[in-house]
């Protein structure tokens, strides 16, 4: 057949070998290279202003490899009033890359001449480009602020639903993009405490804090994420314009946005915590409104309770902690365990001076917090105490109960070799967390029982030891 029909060719990817073939149509796409010279490229862009799925081209790569020709071609079209939007979007995304960001600042003069409808169409790409430029551009600062203002003046769709991640929406919204650009420029200025906000940026930040402008909420989310720095540099401005955003009594919608922004990456700074103390404590009653940032709030409140200083009273922290739902209390225990693990060589002092007082004075004393999940987390905290395991168990055992799957707890106990050191306490611990109906008990339980017996042979006759041995024989992994 090859000799008889030399012009015939087999289809790509052995397509002829299959009775049915499904594809996305890529095999039918044509490739068109862009012209090399500026004049021809400008004319080509005029003819191919829109992207065509069926006609692939190398415009994206040309913007990356040949900034001079591509930018000049776009600038030439601007002189004729031509703004190929889709080509500009691709170019701005490419020019926001590290390799081209410095060189591409020269295009700002061209973009500043764009009519409002073009700025609107390019708002996302232009926002990303300005955000990248904010850290490095030099000269012509007025162009930077002009473009920022033009983007802020645009009309934007505001629809924010209760289930939205407000931070995610903010960092991808044109208002959020330019707010981040302003913040990046601001951080370049060698900030000093109490020096006040600079004249170039203070009016813009104040404008973004105007709750009467709904579209600026995306900017407010990012400003509250930087609340500590703003407070340190200009406390008077922050108290007047920024901190009221955290107040649930003024606006539940704005407070939720502010707290989600702050909790995106929260850090303790006592002067600021003192200034927003009441809204911070009240947020415990709004736990579920915070969505994915609720766990961050529970952890942040817990860290504040572990080191309250003179900002909070024990009664205030205990009241707020009691208002957390069960899932918030679970996050609180995990935060305590992380804090203890991070204490390093000061673990013993941290346990005695921070952790145990927290459970004595702040942790809820009601029976409804005695759940299997919280029991397991508290069990992990007991083991994390290591050489102070007996002391931790004495305080926490009242909240411990049988865990449905104690596999991990038994593993941790054995891993830390606590049965050798504290045989009686380890037996009490195991007897509490391992119920008669526990399933798939690990081989480590047998090892723990052996270690307990080696350390104190009299415990082998203890009723708790006998029960655990029987449970393992029935349900353990051999």
């Amino acid at each position: 057949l090859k000799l008889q029909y030399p012009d015939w060719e087999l289809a790509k990817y052995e397509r002829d070998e299959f009775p049915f073939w499904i594809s996305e149509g890529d095999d039918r796409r044509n490739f068109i290279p862009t012209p090399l010279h500026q004049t021809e490229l400008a004319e080509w862009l005029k003819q191919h202003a829109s992207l065509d799925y069926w006609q692939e081209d190398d415009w994206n790569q040309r913007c990356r490899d040949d900034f001079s020709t591509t930018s000049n071609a776009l600038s030439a079209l601007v002189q004729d009033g031509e703004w190929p939007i889709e080509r500009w979007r691709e170019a701005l995304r490419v020019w926001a890359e590290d390799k081209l960001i410095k060189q591409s600042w020269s295009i700002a003069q061209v973009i500043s001449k764009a009519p409002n409808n073009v700025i609107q169409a390019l708002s996302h790409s232009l926002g990303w480009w300005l955000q990248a430029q904010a850290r490095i551009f030099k000269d012509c600062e007025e162009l930077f602020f002009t473009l920022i203002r033009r983007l802020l003046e645009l009309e934007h769709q505001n629809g924010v639903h209760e289930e939205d991640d407000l931070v995610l929406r903010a960092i991808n919204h044109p208002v959020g993009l330019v707010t981040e650009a302003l913040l990046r420029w601001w951080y370049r200025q060698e900030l000093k405490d109490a020096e006040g906000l600079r004249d170039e940026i203070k009016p813009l930040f104040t404008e973004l804090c105007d709750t009467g402008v709904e579209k600026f909420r995306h900017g407010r989310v990012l400003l509250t994420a930087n609340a500590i720095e703003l407070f340190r540099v200009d406390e008077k401005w922050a108290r007047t314009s920024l901190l009221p955003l955290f107040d649930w009594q003024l606006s539940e919608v704005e407070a939720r946005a502010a707290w989600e922004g702050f909790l995106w990456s929260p850090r303790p700074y006592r002067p600021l915590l003192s200034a927003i103390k009441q809204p911070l404590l009240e947020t415990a009653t709004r736990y579920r409104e915070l969505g994915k940032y609720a766990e961050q709030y529970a952890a942040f409140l817990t860290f504040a309770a572990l080191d309250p200083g003179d900002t909070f009273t024990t009664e205030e922290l205990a009241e707020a902690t009691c208002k957390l739902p069960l899932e918030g209390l679970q996050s609180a225990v995990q935060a305590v365990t992380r804090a203890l693990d991070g204490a390093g060589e000061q673990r013993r002092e941290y346990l005695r001076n921070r952790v145990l007082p927290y459970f004595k004075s702040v942790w809820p004393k009601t029976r409804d917090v005695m759940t299997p999940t919280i029991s397991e987390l508290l069990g992990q905290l007991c083991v994390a105490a290591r050489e102070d395991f007996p002391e931790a168990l004495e305080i926490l055992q009242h909240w411990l109960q049988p865990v449905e799957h104690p596999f991990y707890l038994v593993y941790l106990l054995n891993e830390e070799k606590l049965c050798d050191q504290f045989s009686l306490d380890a037996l009490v611990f195991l007897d509490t967390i391992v119920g008669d109906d526990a399933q798939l008990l690990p081989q480590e339980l047998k090892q723990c029982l052996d270690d307990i017996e080696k350390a104190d042979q009299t415990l082998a006759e203890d009723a708790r030891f006998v029960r655990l041995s029987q449970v393992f024989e029935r349900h353990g992994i051999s």
Side-chain angles (χ1 to χ4, degrees):
L1 287 173
K2 286 184 179 180
L3 292 173
Q4 188 173 356
Y5 304 102
D7 296 333
W8 286 10
E9 293 183 2
L10 292 174
K12 290 183 179 180
Y13 313 117
E14 300 183 348
R15 179 171 176 173
D16 292 323
E17 303 297 324
F18 298 89
F20 298 99
W21 184 270
I22 299 175
S23 74
E24 296 180 352
D26 290 352
D27 50 340
R28 289 184 287 169
R29 297 175 69 184
N30 298 319
F31 177 79
I32 303 175
T34 54
L36 296 178
H37 300 291
Q38 177 185 317
T39 304
E40 290 82 1
L41 180 59
E43 184 61 31
W44 183 89
L45 287 169
K46 189 182 297 186
Q47 301 299 323
H48 300 82
S50 300
L51 302 179
D52 186 341
Y53 177 81
W54 301 107
Q55 291 188 339
E56 186 181 2
D57 58 64
D58 61 352
W59 170 248
N60 187 289
Q61 193 61 41
R62 284 294 304 282
C63 289
R64 185 172 284 106
D65 296 338
D66 192 352
F67 171 77
S68 178
T69 301
T70 52
S71 61
N72 287 337
L74 287 173
S75 300
L77 290 179
V78 169
Q79 299 300 319
D80 298 332
E82 299 278 350
W83 289 87
I85 298 300
E86 294 183 28
R87 300 300 178 175
W88 270 102
R89 283 178 184 152
E90 278 197 297
L92 287 170
R93 282 195 291 268
V94 170
W95 295 339
E97 297 173 1
D98 291 343
K99 180 181 176 182
L100 292 166
I101 190 62
K102 287 185 179 180
Q103 189 177 6
S104 67
W105 179 236
S106 60
I107 207 71
Q109 189 71 49
V110 177
I111 300 174
S112 67
K113 301 175 183 176
N116 287 338
N117 65 314
V118 171
I119 297 293
Q120 181 88 54
L122 294 177
S123 58
H124 278 90
S125 301
L126 182 56
W128 281 115
W129 182 73
L130 285 171
Q131 190 180 104
Q133 286 287 354
R135 284 200 178 114
I136 57 93
F137 79 90
K138 296 180 179 179
D139 304 321
C140 301
E141 280 192 350
E142 68 279 2
L143 279 178
F144 175 76
F145 288 103
T146 295
L147 290 172
I148 291 285
R149 284 196 170 278
R150 292 196 65 184
L151 283 170
L152 289 177
E153 290 167 359
L154 296 175
E155 292 299 323
H156 299 286
Q157 293 182 351
N158 300 311
V160 178
H161 305 289
E162 290 186 5
E163 65 275 12
D164 283 348
D165 179 340
L166 299 183
V167 173
L168 182 62
R169 284 180 61 87
I171 62 179
N172 289 288
H173 190 277
V175 172
L177 292 171
V178 296
T179 303
E180 179 62 25
L182 289 170
L183 287 163
R184 291 185 180 186
W185 176 88
W186 181 57
Y187 280 120
R188 288 171 59 186
Q189 312 308 312
E190 299 181 0
L191 307 180
K192 297 178 182 178
D193 285 353
E195 69 176 350
L197 289 171
R198 295 174 61 123
D199 292 339
E200 300 96 324
I201 209 162
K202 187 173 183 177
L204 289 167
F205 283 172
T206 303
E207 190 176 343
L208 288 168
C209 288
D210 182 359
T211 57
V213 185
E214 186 180 357
K215 66 182 179 181
F216 288 166
R217 189 177 304 146
H218 304 287
R220 293 192 283 275
V221 168
L222 295 177
L223 290 181
T224 54
N226 293 268
I228 293 176
E229 291 77 11
L230 290 165
F231 185 87
R232 292 180 61 174
V233 170
D234 198 329
E235 180 178 340
K236 181 179 178 181
W237 174 87
R239 287 183 178 276
T240 302
S241 300
L242 186 67
L243 301 193
L245 300 175
F246 291 93
D247 193 339
W248 292 96
Q249 300 304 315
L250 294 178
S251 170
E252 294 184 5
V253 173
E254 293 296 340
R256 178 199 164 197
W259 282 110
E260 288 196 19
F262 180 77
L263 292 168
W264 181 22
S265 183
R267 289 175 290 119
Y269 179 62
R270 290 193 185 282
L272 176 62
L273 293 185
S274 179
I276 58 174
K277 174 180 172 178
Q278 291 308 318
L280 173 62
L281 295 172
E282 185 182 346
T283 304
T285 64
R286 314 280 184 156
Y287 185 86
R288 291 192 172 87
E289 296 177 38
L290 297 176
K292 63 184 275 188
Y293 299 96
E295 292 183 8
Q296 286 276 68
Y297 170 75
F300 188 74
L301 179 66
T302 304
F303 287 128
L306 289 170
D307 186 16
D310 57 359
T311 305
F312 305 95
T313 66
T314 300
E315 292 74 18
E316 289 171 337
L317 292 165
E319 183 179 354
T321 303
C322 285
K323 292 176 181 177
L324 292 175
L326 287 175
E327 54 266 37
L329 293 174
Q330 293 169 18
S331 298
V333 179
Q334 291 172 319
V336 174
T337 304
R338 288 197 302 272
L340 183 61
D341 284 337
E345 295 180 357
Q346 285 75 44
R347 176 187 294 266
R348 168 165 285 183
E349 290 74 13
Y350 195 86
L351 177 77
R352 293 177 176 177
N353 299 326
R354 307 287 188 186
V355 175
L356 298 184
Y358 171 83
F359 284 99
K360 289 178 181 178
S361 305
V362 176
W363 183 255
K365 306 301 187 292
T366 56
R367 294 183 62 84
D368 57 353
V369 304
M370 298 174 62
T371 68
T373 301
I374 289 180
S375 176
E376 181 170 6
L377 294 172
L378 289 173
Q380 294 176 23
L381 179 58
C382 287
V383 176
R386 297 181 185 172
E387 64 270 18
D388 295 299
F389 173 70
E391 195 172 350
L393 180 62
E394 181 182 0
I395 299 297
L396 300 176
Q397 65 178 339
H398 307 292
W399 289 286
L400 297 181
Q401 60 177 271
V403 176
E404 184 177 1
H405 301 290
F407 199 104
Y408 185 57
L409 281 179
V410 175
Y411 166 79
L412 289 177
L413 188 72
N414 181 67
E415 188 74 9
E416 294 292 340
K417 305 299 182 186
L418 297 178
C419 297
D420 291 331
Q421 303 174 60
F422 313 107
S423 54
L424 178 58
D425 295 291
L427 180 59
V428 171
F429 180 78
L430 289 171
D431 181 61
T432 305
I433 66 166
V434 179
D436 290 337
D437 55 352
Q439 301 294 317
L440 298 177
L441 292 170
Q443 188 65 36
E444 284 84 354
L445 177 58
K446 181 65 168 62
Q447 182 63 53
C448 286
L449 294 174
D450 289 345
D451 290 342
I452 290 171
E453 185 176 8
K454 283 182 183 179
D456 186 347
Q457 293 184 354
T458 63
L459 292 177
E461 300 176 1
D462 189 292
R464 294 167 293 191
F465 187 97
V466 174
R467 184 188 71 83
L468 287 167
S469 299
Q470 293 172 347
V471 171
F472 179 77
E473 290 177 5
R474 292 198 306 269
H475 301 298
I477 299 174
S478 60

